[in-house]
Amino acid sequence: MTDVLTRLLDQLTAARVTVRVALLDKAFFTIAVMRLLQSHNVPFVIPAVVPKGPSGGPRRGWYGRAWRAWRRAPRSA
């Protein structure tokens, strides 16, 4: 992915196009890609997946969205 971005950034520089923000797919979510974009001073947005973790309730260690949704869910008496 860094090779693809390097070629793209070189083409944009040659064409004198400025990048306001790079919107990338989650496949680009790597440290190498983020360091490359930061070294070129390009702001970026890359979606990250929230780890879901094991199911079965808070005692077994829920993580991510499932735990937050369970905590906020209305309870009936």
Side-chain angles (χ1 to χ4, degrees):
M1 292 298 177
T2 55
D3 296 336
V4 172
L5 281 177
T6 303
R7 281 186 291 164
L8 244 151
L9 290 171
D10 290 341
Q11 290 175 1
L12 290 171
T13 303
R16 295 183 184 182
V17 175
T18 57
V19 179
R20 289 186 186 177
V21 65
L23 303 173
L24 302 170
D25 190 65
K26 66 182 176 180
F28 289 90
F29 189 68
T30 62
I31 298 296
V33 168
M34 291 181 204
R35 286 186 179 154
L36 174 74
L37 291 170
Q38 287 176 345
S39 69
H40 285 276
N41 294 323
V42 175
F44 57 91
V45 176
I46 304 174
V49 179
V50 175
K52 294 182 182 175
S55 60
R59 291 185 211 145
R60 292 184 59 198
W62 274 12
Y63 301 103
R65 262 184 256 165
W67 168 248
R68 286 191 298 271
W70 180 81
R71 246 184 38 211
R72 286 190 304 245
R75 305 282 186 260
S76 60

